[in-house]
Amino acid sequence: MHHRLSRAEVPIEQTWNLDDLFVSDTDWEAERVAMDAACGDMGQYQGSFSEGAAALLQCLNAVEALQQRFVRVITFAHLRNAQDGTNPQSQSAMARVAALEARLNASIAFVDSEILQLPDGVLEHYLASEPGLAAHKIRLQDLLDLKPHRLGADTERVLASLGQVLNAPYMVYSRSKTSDIQFAPFTDAAGTTYANSINGFESNFESHSDTSVRRGAWQSFSAGLKAYNHTYAATFATEVNKNVVLARLRNYASTEDYLLQPHKIPRAIYTNIVQIIQAELAPHMQRYARLRRRVLGLDKLLYCDIKAPLDPEFNPRVTYDEGCALILDALAVMGHEYCDFARKTMTQRWVDRSDNIGKSSGAFCASPYGVHPYILITWSDTMRNVFTLAHELGHGGHFGLAMRHQRYVNTRPAMPFVEAPSIMNEMLLAQHILGQNSDPRMRRSVIMQVLGTFHHNFVTHLLEAELQRQIYALAESGQSITAAVLNQRKGDILSAFWGDTVEMDDGARMTWMRQPHYYMGLYPYTYSVGLVASTAMATLIAHEGEPAVQRWLSVLKAGGTMKPLELMQAAGIDLSTPEPIRQAVAYVGKLIDELEVSFAN
């Protein structure tokens, strides 16, 4: 049986080097303590804003400096916990940094309240008379937009101090997922026994070519999830009910309106994304499911079969170094600055790529301001790994450029744009490989990787968004959110999308347990926004070349200085109409057309 490494057994070159954040736990702890003391110093600015624009600027700069320091503190703790969530010291550090975050938020809660208490016209006068406030203009405008939903200063301070409690659902979910949940070993048809884990299942077994291995792993995985079904349901329900209560307290028309406020997009775009893609993509994906069942020679296609490889014998092994070289070739169109940054990210131990006990599942990129990106991935020598790494490098390149050209306060755009640069890299990678290869097997292999990207963002995450829509509506009507409700709703959503092409089982109905996105507001639908934008942008680059590339780089450098639709418009994408959504869906249909022809020959 395969032996999973402990963190100490992982070769150091396959781990990230966190010294650029803090060289030791002692240094981290010293900064945490210093930050805790600095939070107490913020009281000196209370009641000073009426003195003039200079006083407001001094306070806002102090807040920005504190938040920038905190990013390093929380990133270090988060990455240490992500690399091994079973480590008691890492768990303790996460608890301490959560307490610090609550302390920080409580110490600066007065800022927004006192700004909003300024007489009408005063803030506008301050902005006109103090050039230094220009850097904070977007933050101040966002605050004015929230004015109808702000509560009293004391109430805001209390809510800020409860940050650690309000964030408890996500903390409980993430900690139990990495540290507590266990999966029993399973045996394939040949009698070989395998160890199972979240990372192992998602990296190796979910797309395994041997049906007995794939289905055996799925049964083990589903049984492991089922043991936590009611616990995770209670955690999910707590998160939902928290947001429902906060939305009502702040006088929003609905919880969705409350959660969409920071996204800075019209509600119609959110609605279009969720509704149009579900309705128009489903027939294409059902064709893909029927093709998959036929090629695999299965009597029925189970949910655990929808990622099975259709040409398993053509599965070229891609080492990490080979994958890095392929990505750099694909990104060459982006220019030297972008490629040099990507090369450094992949070669200077900014990537943690080996599996080990307690390591967080999936992949992510953390980009602490003033440092550089850190990427977590579990590398298993597959082409899927190459696309995932390209995706996370898109996040790293985006925020790396934004950090070089914007202050901390203006680095991050609103959430609907965040996934566009990452998925854009996947599209460029696919274009590059397809452009270099005429071999039918290679082409269909890459097409299936691209379809994997669309499946991940247009199906998995979009159906998460649909579940959120339904569950928040139920909660607002007063219905209890239980494991039975979540399982039933998720199963119905999957069945409606896949029709009779995929058979749903208990494991399929429990897939809501696998994703942390439910604890991040309305994050899931934004993946689809990113895929729509990146599909359109990749087409523009293919047709226009350098001018389109330069527009895209300028947008990445802009960070959060524009709203998502403005960023896309600056790049040449008009998302104010449904047309780009329909074009992206049609692109999926064309890919499946080519696959059907390929497997018919």
Side-chain angles (χ1 to χ4, degrees):
M1 186 168 66
H2 174 69
H3 168 68
R4 291 190 74 204
L5 302 177
S6 68
R7 184 65 183 182
E9 294 172 318
V10 176
I12 192 169
E13 66 273 10
Q14 297 181 22
T15 66
W16 48 30
N17 180 3
L18 302 184
D19 288 354
D20 290 338
L21 287 165
F22 295 95
V23 297
S24 68
D25 289 345
T26 301
D27 288 344
W28 176 84
E29 178 64 14
E31 174 64 353
R32 187 194 67 81
V33 172
M35 270 211 68
D36 191 69
C39 289
D41 296 336
M42 290 303 300
Q44 65 182 301
Y45 300 106
Q46 284 189 262
S48 67
F49 298 165
S50 61
E51 298 173 7
L56 176 60
L57 176 60
Q58 187 177 12
C59 179
L60 292 179
N61 285 342
V63 170
E64 181 184 25
L66 265 182
Q67 291 174 329
Q68 186 174 331
R69 290 172 64 186
F70 179 70
V71 164
R72 289 198 181 201
V73 172
I74 193 172
T75 299
F76 184 81
H78 170 64
L79 297 184
R80 289 288 295 272
N81 191 64
Q83 72 188 32
D84 183 5
T86 65
N87 188 310
Q89 291 180 327
S90 297
Q91 294 177 4
S92 175
M94 286 295 291
R96 281 176 285 160
V97 81
L100 175 61
E101 183 175 22
R103 166 104 161 117
L104 170 61
N105 290 338
S107 73
I108 62 177
F110 75 90
V111 177
D112 291 353
S113 297
E114 292 194 8
I115 290 174
L116 292 176
Q117 289 170 6
L118 291 171
D120 291 344
V122 170
L123 183 57
E124 290 79 1
H125 172 69
Y126 283 179
L127 283 165
S129 62
E130 173 52 70
L133 283 173
H136 301 281
K137 184 176 181 179
I138 294 172
R139 180 200 189 287
L140 293 171
Q141 184 57 56
D142 289 345
L143 179 58
L144 290 175
D145 292 342
L146 288 172
K147 188 172 184 177
H149 306 288
R150 294 285 297 182
L151 304 174
D154 289 342
T155 304
E156 292 289 351
R157 189 178 302 109
V158 169
L159 287 174
S161 67
L162 289 173
Q164 187 174 2
V165 176
L166 295 176
N167 290 330
Y170 177 57
M171 182 274 291
V172 171
Y173 171 83
S174 59
R175 185 170 296 181
S176 64
K177 187 177 178 183
T178 57
S179 305
D180 294 335
I181 193 166
Q182 299 293 321
F183 304 94
F186 66 93
T187 303
D188 66 10
T192 303
T193 300
Y194 301 82
N196 204 3
S197 66
I198 290 178
N199 285 337
F201 176 76
E202 295 181 349
S203 299
N204 301 315
F205 302 134
E206 190 171 26
S207 58
H208 202 284
S209 60
D210 187 322
T211 301
S212 70
V213 173
R214 191 173 62 251
R215 292 182 175 181
W218 174 250
Q219 291 175 356
S220 163
F221 189 75
S222 299
L225 290 180
K226 189 172 184 178
Y228 288 79
N229 195 213
H230 295 288
T231 299
Y232 279 16
T235 308
F236 193 137
T238 302
E239 175 70 14
V240 168
N241 291 327
K242 174 194 76 176
N243 288 326
V244 170
V245 170
L246 289 173
R248 288 173 177 166
L249 282 175
R250 296 191 179 280
N251 297 311
Y252 283 90
S254 70
T255 309
E256 285 184 342
D257 288 323
Y258 163 61
L259 295 174
L260 283 172
Q261 173 86 37
H263 291 198
K264 303 182 184 180
I265 65 166
R267 185 186 179 95
I269 291 180
Y270 164 72
T271 303
N272 283 342
I273 285 285
V274 177
Q275 292 182 344
I276 292 174
I277 295 176
Q278 283 190 90
E280 299 187 12
L281 183 66
H284 294 306
M285 296 306 295
Q286 289 172 19
R287 276 199 297 136
Y288 193 23
R290 285 191 288 270
L291 173 66
R292 186 177 295 278
R293 183 178 62 184
R294 175 174 63 80
V295 173
L296 293 175
L298 299 175
D299 293 334
K300 57 184 178 180
L301 195 71
L302 304 183
Y303 188 78
C304 61
D305 297 322
I306 58 177
K307 294 185 179 180
L310 296 186
D311 189 4
E313 295 180 0
F314 187 81
N315 186 28
R317 180 173 176 267
V318 186
T319 67
Y320 179 74
D321 290 341
E322 291 168 342
C324 292
L326 184 57
I327 289 171
L328 290 174
D329 287 344
L331 298 182
V333 66
M334 295 289 286
H336 294 297
E337 180 183 12
Y338 191 91
C339 286
D340 287 346
F341 190 83
R343 182 180 293 104
K344 289 180 67 176
T345 301
M346 294 186 290
T347 60
Q348 296 194 3
R349 286 187 62 208
W350 298 355
V351 178
D352 195 279
R353 64 182 194 268
S354 178
D355 185 27
N356 59 257
I357 296 170
K359 183 173 178 177
S360 179
S361 64
F364 66 75
C365 176
S367 297
Y369 189 86
V371 189
H372 54 70
Y374 284 100
I375 292 174
L376 179 140
I377 186 174
T378 302
W379 193 271
S380 54
D381 290 345
T382 67
M383 185 61 76
R384 186 69 243 163
N385 291 154
V386 182
F387 276 81
T388 301
L389 180 57
H391 178 103
E392 300 306 336
L393 282 168
H395 286 307
H398 178 200
F399 292 116
L401 287 173
M403 284 190 288
R404 293 181 184 180
H405 293 86
Q406 305 296 335
R407 283 175 51 163
Y408 169 81
V409 71
N410 290 325
T411 301
R412 295 187 69 86
M415 197 175 286
F417 186 78
V418 167
E419 293 299 333
S422 54
I423 302 173
M424 174 66 173
N425 276 11
E426 293 190 64
M427 301 303 292
L428 291 177
L429 177 62
Q431 283 185 351
H432 171 74
I433 300 175
L434 290 174
Q436 299 294 315
N437 288 275
S438 58
D439 176 73
R441 296 186 81 184
M442 175 59 78
R443 286 189 63 81
R444 71 188 187 191
S445 175
V446 174
I447 287 172
M448 285 187 285
Q449 293 301 327
V450 177
L451 285 173
T453 295
F454 276 93
H455 188 170
H456 188 66
N457 298 290
F458 264 13
V459 180
T460 301
H461 292 317
L462 192 79
L463 297 187
E464 289 173 9
E466 177 59 29
L467 180 63
Q468 285 187 308
R469 293 182 70 198
Q470 294 188 20
I471 293 303
Y472 275 111
L474 290 175
E476 287 175 331
S477 69
Q479 183 166 333
S480 297
I481 308 303
T482 64
V485 169
L486 288 165
N487 294 344
Q488 181 66 46
R489 290 283 174 159
K490 186 64 178 181
D492 290 347
I493 290 168
L494 290 170
S495 295
F497 184 84
W498 291 103
D500 62 359
T501 63
V502 179
E503 183 173 303
M504 302 302 161
D505 57 12
D506 287 342
R509 288 183 277 271
M510 291 189 297
T511 50
W512 59 266
M513 297 175 63
R514 294 177 59 176
Q515 298 291 348
H517 303 120
Y518 299 112
Y519 304 90
M520 303 174 184
L522 295 183
Y523 190 13
Y525 88 96
T526 64
Y527 283 92
S528 295
V529 177
L531 186 49
V532 169
S534 59
T535 302
M537 196 66 227
T539 301
L540 290 173
I541 289 177
H543 290 165
E544 297 180 26
E546 186 65 16
V549 170
Q550 289 306 315
R551 291 199 306 271
W552 185 245
L553 290 174
S554 295
V555 163
L556 299 185
K557 294 173 183 177
T561 59
M562 291 186 280
K563 295 179 180 179
L565 290 192
E566 295 170 344
L567 289 167
M568 293 176 193
Q569 287 167 355
I573 306 163
D574 183 7
L575 206 62
S576 64
T577 72
E579 190 57 28
I581 304 173
R582 292 196 162 99
Q583 289 176 351
V585 171
Y587 179 65
V588 175
K590 291 179 181 178
L591 293 176
I592 295 174
D593 289 343
E594 184 171 344
L595 272 191
E596 288 178 328
V597 172
S598 176
F599 281 107
N601 296 331

